[in-house]
């Protein structure tokens, strides 16, 4: 076990050394130092094991043993515009496309943006005037408790997406950030990084997509940071539909200024093992967030969501609704914590996790938590696990519906609340299709 | 603008010390201590083996200081006296031979033991420090085949029952404090309700710590055979000492087919002073096994005392159609800490569990609900409903909810709901507008908040519990 | 009985009452009308001593006593009753338990003997008839799961039990259907007598068809801008509040700019 971990660490170390040498001249020194520190941290802690409370229900052994290696900078997969078309959200007029972690300018579009708004890959940004933005936000002292996955992402911080909205900028069309895995790289480890900085009174919608072009068994280790300024509004969709052989570990952290609004909706459909850690810090008065999601998994899939909604200031509001549909021999984990600090009076926090088990081999572990140290608050959480209501089924069947159809209708109805929330048609359609496919698969069994 | 602040806690009225000569063993813990305890109690060999096995397990275990939401300085297990008993004749032919000083003590606590004054309808086992000093109504219960006696007596009189059931619900290596208890427990209560018998009266044990240097490690074992019913109550108090004292008890319940056990606790150990000095560390393992079909175990607890409470009365729902219930009010004030809740393990088919937890935090206390609902793959049709509410009084306390829900069967239905709020100004104003004083209004709202739990308590206990909450929370608007 | 002099009050830093003066004598029924946001409910809450409302100046005398110095429960025991616009739910506390406590607090205050639960039950039963209240509601938690109409009837029942000297009815008619309005109004009329006084706070004239006031006052922007007899209410019903608003703006431009 120990020997395995050491070997794993050293294989990342070798790739790390190569990368540091390659980048020594072209990337800023602060970044090289940051990566070095992160690599040391990773070597110190390794990947978390199930002994750690936060990873109790999710075993990352397969990633540790998976012999994944960071993709070499020159490894290029031939993909044309036609190949990626299926993964693009037509509503978006600007986009950045990354294939196996490498930025592809010819597939991207960064025009069509209001003045001052930047949507750029890191290499471009490092070379340009926004290097200071990257530096200000990426080089901040990191959390000393940072886990192995986050440390490893920072160690391999090279390619990534910067979205910068200057004060007052309003971007009406969504901005898409697409991270594609292509099957050429069976054991590719990729480390996407996204930085969104929304200055005061700006607004934008971001679509963060992860997909595979085939049965790629890749390991994605992503970190996304969102800074929402005063009165700014960021609407964020994360759609993960990587191949069912893939491993997807991701962290989304957001920090909100006064009266900032952050609305995150996460759709989890793919990967054999996925883990999404979410941290939203409501650090200034009047901030409000929505942290919603749907996970839809079938045989062989394991989806884990861990969230921390951190209320550190008074008069902030958080809403969280997570729904899960589990089929076949699948497993889901939900761990949501609402933490209300001593001074965060008048906090209004609602959290709900509902799970629908379609098969008798599915398993769910849910742990919604409230930790409250202020007295003038309104906090509530709830969690349910169950199957379709017999009464409701009976009602539909008694009206002449075929049992299977009635089941599907109810299952679809279960997801409806979240599907309806999505304001982007193409994502809504994808989700509809995914749910229907899941249900059709059931009918054929 | 008004906010609710608390006046000081009313004086803890059970804080007195009884002056009585005690038979104590030297402080410290080793295999020799355990042999000495066992010898003092004239125990058969199997009990000594049980204790030593537990002790050896304990030595290998670690104190659970990380996962519970509590903090306390390390306990020095060598600085505790593991056996302390009031000096009196070993066997008492009648109540008249019990030391009058002890009878007086229990009378002062509201537990009269003499024949003339005994509580009607409630049989009491009175435990003072390490030993049981008296058990009332024993003879009458015996007529119905009900065994109710001190644990020490049961070990000597009913060794076969003890051998058969002891440690089968809470194994000696279950957890750190259970292992410690299994090694050094000194007394407690034993209840056996034979097949088909509905126990004709409430049974109750009253625990009293008197010695400032001793720990209390009692053991309770209740067995309800097929179709038997019993309602059991426990109460506890301790004098005010500046030093923290350890109370590590183990309670095991076994319910066979169609049996029902109702276990109620009003816990009022000394909580320490306002700054958190002194008070009892209440580290308790309580677990019931619903072994039989259609069996039912119901835990009701009102936790108001102790400096630290760490307990999770649980139900192992093995028998098909068995039912587990947990009703809890946990109140913390000043510097008290509580990490309490329940575990419902659904194993049998159509097992049901119901959890109602009401947490009230005041002062600078910290109150956590921690609960596990686990549905195993074979538990077809299992149902759980959990309602968990927290009330905050003042802005220096904490209220936390940590439910763990693990479901491996898709026919199961598990629901958890929780809320946290403070006493609303609007409710207070409404009551006051009708002429009710601030203090009465607060107590009315709190009793209303706890009603779902109080109504599960036997009548006398419910009244006692309400009074206790009022006393602990004497409040006023600042 | 009640003397309000130049009362100013604010809530959450916003000035709502800007100089209200009003005298209510024994046996009188006064109606306070006015458009939404004029300060009607604020006046009712200030009289009862709601902690969120801050009196910035002015005084209120009740039977010669300074009402503003008293705690809310002291005011209630002195005989001031507020029928809430939105009666509060109190889970786990039964209506009967709550009312008996309130009733006995008042008896104690008056130096009278307290009633035991049985005696009180009889009293409650008798008073419940005044508002045609189902006895079954008495064992339920205060206002919990009550319909809007039941909540308002419950308020009047409490008034019947507590027998206040001054009853302030805050929008008691809102949300009531015509039958419930009739029952509630008849209840109030039965409780009206020469020794008590009633202040009706209402937006609509409808209630005043049932409970006929002696005086009608119009509150606008925190001041009483017009007073009259019951015919004033009819005029308001016919012409709406705009007429009063225009008049008020003309005569008191300072109020508009404040």
């Amino acid at each position: 076990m120990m020997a395995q971990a050491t070997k794993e660490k050293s294989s990342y170390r070798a790739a790390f050394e190569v990368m540091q040498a390659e980048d020594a001249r072209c990337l800023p020194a602060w970044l090289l130092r940051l990566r070095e520190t992160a690599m040391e941290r990773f070597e110190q802690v390794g990947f978390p094991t199930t002994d750690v409370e936060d990873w109790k229900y999710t075993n990352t052994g397969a990633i540790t043993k998976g012999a994944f290696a960071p993709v070499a900078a020159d490894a290029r997969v031939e993909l044309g515009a036609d190949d990626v078309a299926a993964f693009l959200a037509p509503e978006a007029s600007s986009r950045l496309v990354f294939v196996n972690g490498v930025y592809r300018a010819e597939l991207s579009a960064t025009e069509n943006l209001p003045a001052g708004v930047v949507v750029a890959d890191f290499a471009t940004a490092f070379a340009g005037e926004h290097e200071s933005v990257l530096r200000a936000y990426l080089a901040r002292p990191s959390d000393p408790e940072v886990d192995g996955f986050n440390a490893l992402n920072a160690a391999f911080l090279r390619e990534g997406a910067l979205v910068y909205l200057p004060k007052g900028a309003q971007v009406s069309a969504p901005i898409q950030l697409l991270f594609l895995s292509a099957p050429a790289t069976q054991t590719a480890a990729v480390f996407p990084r996204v930085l969104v900085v929304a200055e005061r009174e700006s607004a934008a919608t971001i679509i963060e997509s992860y997909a595979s072009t085939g049965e790629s068994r890749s390991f994605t280790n992503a970190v996304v940071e969102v800074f929402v300024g005063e009165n700014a509004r960021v609407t964020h969709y994360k759609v993960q539909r990587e191949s069912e052989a893939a491993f997807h570990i991701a962290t989304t952290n957001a920090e909100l200024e006064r009266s900032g609004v952050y609305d995150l909706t996460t759709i989890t459909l793919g990967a054999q093992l996925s883990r999404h850690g979410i941290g939203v810090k409501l650090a200034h008065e009047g901030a409000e967030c929505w942290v919603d999601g749907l996970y839809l998994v079938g045989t062989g899939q394991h989806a884990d969501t861990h969230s921390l909604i951190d209320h550190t200031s008074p008069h902030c509001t958080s809403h969280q609704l997570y729904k899960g549909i589990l089929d076949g021999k699948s497993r889901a984990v939900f761990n949501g914590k609402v933490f209300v600090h001593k001074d965060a009076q008048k906090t209004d926090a609602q959290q709900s996790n509902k799970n629908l088990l379609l098969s008798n081999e599915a398993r769910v572990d849910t742990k919604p938590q409230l930790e409250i140290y202020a007295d003038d608050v309104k906090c509530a959480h709830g969690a349910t696990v169950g199957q379709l209501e017999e009464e409701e089924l009976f009602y539909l069947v008694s009206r002449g519906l075929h049992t299977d159809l009635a089941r599907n209708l109810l299952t679809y109805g279960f997801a409806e609340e979240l599907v309806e929330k999505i304001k982007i048609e193409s994502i809504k359609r994808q989700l509809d299709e995914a749910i229907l496919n899941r249900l059709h698969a059931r009918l054929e069994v | 603008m008004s906010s609710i602040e608390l006046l000081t806690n009313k004086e803890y009225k059970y804080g007195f010390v009884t002056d009585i000569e005690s038979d104590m063993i030297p402080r410290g813990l080793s295999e020799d201590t355990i042999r000495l305890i066992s010898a003092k109690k004239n125990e058969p060999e199997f009990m000594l083996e049980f204790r030593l096995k537990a002790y050896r397990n304990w030595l290998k275990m670690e104190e659970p200081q990380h996962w519970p939401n509590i903090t306390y300085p390390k306990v020095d297990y060598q600085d505790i006296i593991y056996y302390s008993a009031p000096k009196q004749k070993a066997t008492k032919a009648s109540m008249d031979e019990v030391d009058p000083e002890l009878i007086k003590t229990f009378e002062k606590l509201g537990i009269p033991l003499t024949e003339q004054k005994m509580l009607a309808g409630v049989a009491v086992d009175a435990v003072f420090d390490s030993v049981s000093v008296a058990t009332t109504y024993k003879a009458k219960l015996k007529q119905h085949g009900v065994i109710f006696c001190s644990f020490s007596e049961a070990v000597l009189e009913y060794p076969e029952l003890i051998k058969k059931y002891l440690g089968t619900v809470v194994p000696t290596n279950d957890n750190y404090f259970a292992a410690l208890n299994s090694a050094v427990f000194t007394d407690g209560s034993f209840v056996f309700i034979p097949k088909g018998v509905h126990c004709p009266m409430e049974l109750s044990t009253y625990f009293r710590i008197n010695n400032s240097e001793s720990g209390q490690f009692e053991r309770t074992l209740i067995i309800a055979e097929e179709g038997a019913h019993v309602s059991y109550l426990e109460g506890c108090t301790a004098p005010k000492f500046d030093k923290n004292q350890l109370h590590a008890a183990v309670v095991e319940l076994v319910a066979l087919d169609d049996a029902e056990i109702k276990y109620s606790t009003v816990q009022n150990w000394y909580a320490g002073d306002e700054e958190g000095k002194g008070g009892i560390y209440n580290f308790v393992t309580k677990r019931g096994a619903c072994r039989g079909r259609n069996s039912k175990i119901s835990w009701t607890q009102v936790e108001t005392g102790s400096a630290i409470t760490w307990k999770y009365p649980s139900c192992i729902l093995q028998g098909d159609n068995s039912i587990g219930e947990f009703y809890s009010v946990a109140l913390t004030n000043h510097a008290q800490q509580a990490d309490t809740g329940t575990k419902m393990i659904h194993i049998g088919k159509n097992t049901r569990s119901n959890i109602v937890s009401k947490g009230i935090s005041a002062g600078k206390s910290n109150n956590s609900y921690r609960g596990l609902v686990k549905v195993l793959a074979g538990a077809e049709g299992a149902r759980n409903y959990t309602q968990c509410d927290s009330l905050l009084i003042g802005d220096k306390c904490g209220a936390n909810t940590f439910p763990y829900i693990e479901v491996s069967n898709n026919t199961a239905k598990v629901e958890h709901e929780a809320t946290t709020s403070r006493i609303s100004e609007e409710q207070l104003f409404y009551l006051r507008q009708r002429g009710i004083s601030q203090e009465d209004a607060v107590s009315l709202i709190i009793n209303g908040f706890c009603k779902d739990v109080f109504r599960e308590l036997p009548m006398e206990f419910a009244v006692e519990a309400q009074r206790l909450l009022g006393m602990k929370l004497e409040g006023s608007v600042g | 009985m009640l003397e309000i002099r130049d009362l100013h009050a604010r809530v959450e830093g916003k000035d709502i009452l800007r100089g209200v003066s009003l005298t209510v004598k024994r046996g009188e029924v006064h109606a306070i009308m006015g458009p939404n946001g004029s300060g009607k409910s604020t006046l009712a809450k200030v009289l009862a001593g709601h902690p969120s409302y801050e009196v910035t100046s002015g005084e209120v005398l009740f039977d010669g006593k300074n009402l503003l110095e008293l705690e809310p429960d002291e005011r209630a025991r002195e005989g001031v009753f507020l029928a809430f616009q939105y009666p509060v739910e109190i889970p786990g506390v039964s209506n009967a338990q709550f009312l008996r406590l309130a009733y006995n607090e008042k008896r104690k205050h008056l130096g009278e003997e307290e009633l035991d639960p049985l005696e009180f039950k009889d009293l409650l039963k008798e008073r419940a008839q005044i508002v045609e209240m189902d006895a079954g509601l008495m064992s339920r938690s205060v206002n919990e799961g009550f319909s809007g109409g039941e909540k308002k009837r419950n308020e009047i029942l409490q008034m019947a039990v507590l027998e206040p000297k001054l009853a302030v009815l805050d929008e008691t008619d809102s949300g009531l259907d015509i039958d419930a309005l009739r029952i509630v109004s008849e209840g109030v009329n039965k409780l009206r007598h020469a020794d008590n006084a009633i202040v009706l706070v209402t937006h609509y004239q409808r209630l005043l068809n049932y409970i006929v006031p002696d005086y009608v006052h119009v509150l606008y922007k925190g001041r009483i801008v017009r007073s009259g007899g019951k015919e004033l209410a009819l005029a308001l019903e016919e012409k709406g509040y705009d007429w009063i608003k225009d008049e008020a703006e003309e005569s008191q431009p300072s109020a508009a700019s404040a």
Side-chain angles (χ1 to χ4, degrees), chain A residues 57 366 368 370 372 379 381 383 385, chain B residues 399 401 403 405-407 414 416 418 420:
Chain A
Y57 298 115
T366 171
L370 294 174
I372 297 167
C379 300
H381 72 194
V385 180
Chain B
T401 315
I405 301 166
E406 304 177 4
V407 180
V414 177
H416 169 97
T420 302

Side-chain angles (χ1 to χ4, degrees), chain A residues 63-81:
Chain A
I63 296 176
T64 312
K65 295 190 203 88
F68 291 105
V71 185
D74 53 0
R76 201 177 156 84
V77 182
E78 287 312 320
L79 276 181

Side-chain angles (χ1 to χ4, degrees), chain A residues 116-120 122 125 130-140 161-171 175 177 193-206 224-236 253-257 261-262:
Chain A
V117 173
V118 177
V119 176
F122 279 2
H130 292 91
E131 189 262 348
S132 60
V133 176
L134 287 173
R135 181 180 193 156
Y137 288 95
L138 294 180
R140 296 178 320 150
L162 169 69
V163 175
Y164 177 76
L165 308 166
K167 184 182 159 192
Q170 308 282 319
V171 187
I175 299 160
L177 310 172
R193 181 86 171 207
V194 175
L195 175 64
V196 178
V197 178
E199 301 279 11
R200 59 185 291 184
E201 282 146 25
S202 64
T205 297
I206 307 217
V224 176
E225 290 173 290
V226 181
F227 295 87
V228 183
E230 204 174 316
N231 278 316
R233 170 182 277 269
V234 174
T235 306
H236 182 178
N253 285 329
E255 235 179 273
L256 281 65
E257 296 281 323
V261 176
Y262 179 58

Side-chain angles (χ1 to χ4, degrees), chain C residues 61-74:
Chain C
L61 296 177
F62 181 67
D63 277 345
K65 280 186 194 141
N66 180 353
L67 194 66
L68 301 178
E69 275 181 354
L70 301 180
E71 288 294 316
D73 45 317
E74 292 171 328

Side-chain angles (χ1 to χ4, degrees), chain B residues 140-166:
Chain B
K140 186 175 172 200
L141 289 166
K142 199 70 198 278
Q143 286 166 14
H144 293 84
V146 173
I147 302 171
F148 180 41
C149 64
S150 72
F151 204 90
S152 319
E153 193 179 328
V155 168
L156 300 175
E157 303 284 323
Y158 312 101
E160 291 314 310
L161 284 175
I162 299 290
K163 249 192 227 170
K164 186 169 172 192
Y165 290 105
L166 182 69

Side-chain angles (χ1 to χ4, degrees), chain B residues 358-371:
Chain B
K358 305 280 180 176
I360 303 163
S361 341
K364 46 181 192 282
S365 68
N366 210 340
N367 198 333
S368 303
Y369 167 82
R370 187 182 303 277

Side-chain angles (χ1 to χ4, degrees), chain B residues 207-260:
Chain B
F207 295 101
R208 173 71 179 171
I209 297 181
N210 191 59
N211 189 317
S212 69
E213 304 294 316
S214 72
Q216 184 151 345
F217 305 93
E218 84 270 0
R219 188 95 191 182
T220 303
L221 175 60
I222 300 178
I223 299 143
E225 282 198 333
E226 290 83 352
H229 285 217
V230 62
S231 168
Y232 177 91
L233 328 168
E234 94 187 326
C236 23
T237 58
K240 291 159 74 164
F241 293 122
D242 286 348
K243 201 174 148 185
N244 292 111
Q245 280 179 282
L246 182 63
H247 170 250
V250 171
V251 175
E252 295 178 282
L253 312 182
V254 178
L256 303 183
D257 286 359
D258 303 302
E260 264 190 57

